[in-house]
Amino acid sequence: MENINQLIKQLGLESSLTLEEIPNIDLYMDQVIQLFENKFAESKRNDEEKVLTKTMINNYAKGKLIFPIKNKKYSKEHLILISLIYQLKGALSINDIKILLDGVNKKIIKEDINLDSFYNSYLNLTSKNVGDFKMDLQDRESEVKDAMVDVAPYLEQVLMISSLVHMSNLYRKAAERLIDQIPIEKEEKRQR
């Protein structure tokens, strides 16, 4: 198995779009894509992978994951939402993300949220999560090595991957159950 510390360095775990990096002026779609591509380039699995595309952004807008765009420009608030969607889409369905962010979008429109404070809290939690993840990954590697004495490295790797996927599924299932507890408006229906 590859050295866990090398793996951690390759993951780009510290990549987050901070408030300081979000311009205070509205951006056109191409500028938004460029900002995200530059910021999250090292977290991509390979060079062909796209962080964000016009189609993705249009689907977020059409699916009402973000509040309406004005004059084909995206505000700081839109960029914060797109950043959240970028992180959420790896584990949740688009419908679950819509349910999750619906209240946030409504609060933004009503100007009933300190979005900067909310986003900073999110960034602080993700930073702590990265630290916890690094420690857990190293512990999990030790557990796999202890469980698999004198076994081919390939089988050790299979066990490690299986363990990581299982943990990911447990966290995703917990998140989905929490989403199911979010009240939704009567005209909306949960789609599964």
Side-chain angles (χ1 to χ4, degrees), residues 157-168:
Q157 191 171 9
V158 169
L159 191 58
M160 180 70 168
I161 292 166
S162 299
S163 178
L164 293 174
V165 169
H166 181 250
M167 287 301 295
S168 173

Side-chain angles (χ1 to χ4, degrees), residues 136-149:
D136 182 65
L137 199 57
Q138 291 168 341
D139 291 346
R140 197 160 304 280
E141 179 187 40
S142 296
E143 291 169 6
V144 167
K145 286 183 185 296
D146 291 346
M148 299 294 292
V149 179

